[in-house]
Amino acid sequence: MPAAYSDDLRDKVLAAVDRGEKKSHVSRMFNISRNTLDLWLKRRDATGSASPMRGYHRGPAPKVNDLDAFRAFATAHGHLTQQQMADRWPEPITDVTVGKALRRIGFTRKKRRVATASAMRPSAEPS
């Protein structure tokens, strides 16, 4: 995705339009599309500023919001499968949601029962 235009460029473009220059001339001069210029004017009229939206989060919000409560739940029910954990969570969620929440709190799925020693062994002394 391309980066947003700078606030300085937006201010210069809108100042040129405010001076009375034609929109098509301004868009060619600053090498932006006419649609972009119209969107900036529309945003300035609506919000008072043509600066881009900041802190915008795309996509749906996570279904498990309280990560501390989920961390305690995962610690207590870590021996269960993700589907069983989803069934026991107080709100209706899926096993995929449980997996995403486990990743967010840093839990892994694979566990080792006993720590293994390094697989590298010193070779025999050369003769």
Side-chain angles (χ1 to χ4, degrees):
M1 183 173 172
Y5 289 103
S6 68
D7 290 337
D8 184 46
L9 176 68
R10 291 170 188 246
D11 293 338
K12 288 179 183 178
V13 169
L14 295 178
V17 171
D18 292 341
R19 283 193 307 264
E21 296 188 38
K22 292 183 178 182
K23 290 181 187 178
S24 58
H25 180 261
V26 171
S27 63
R28 272 186 261 129
M29 183 171 46
F30 288 100
N31 197 22
I32 61 170
S33 71
R34 171 69 189 269
N35 184 50
T36 300
L37 177 57
D38 290 336
L39 290 173
W40 290 351
L41 288 167
K42 184 177 178 181
R43 179 172 289 153
R44 184 178 68 174
D45 292 342
T47 64
S49 173
S51 63
M53 294 180 355
R54 307 219 191 281
Y56 179 73
H57 175 69
R58 283 189 171 198
K63 295 188 189 264
V64 178
N65 294 324
D66 189 5
L67 292 181
D68 293 330
F70 186 76
R71 185 174 282 115
F73 174 81
T75 304
H77 298 91
H79 63 282
L80 300 175
T81 64
Q82 290 180 1
Q83 182 60 51
Q84 292 168 339
M85 290 174 78
D87 293 339
R88 293 196 179 166
W89 185 248
E91 300 165 1
I93 57 175
T94 64
D95 57 335
V96 174
T97 304
V98 170
K100 288 179 183 179
L102 287 171
R103 247 181 281 125
R104 284 175 60 201
I105 63 173
F107 275 46
T108 60
R109 287 186 276 168
K110 294 186 178 180
K111 308 288 185 213
R112 291 189 179 203
R113 295 182 184 184
V114 180
T116 58
S118 174
M120 299 294 288
R121 304 247 189 267
S123 61
E125 291 293 322
S127 38

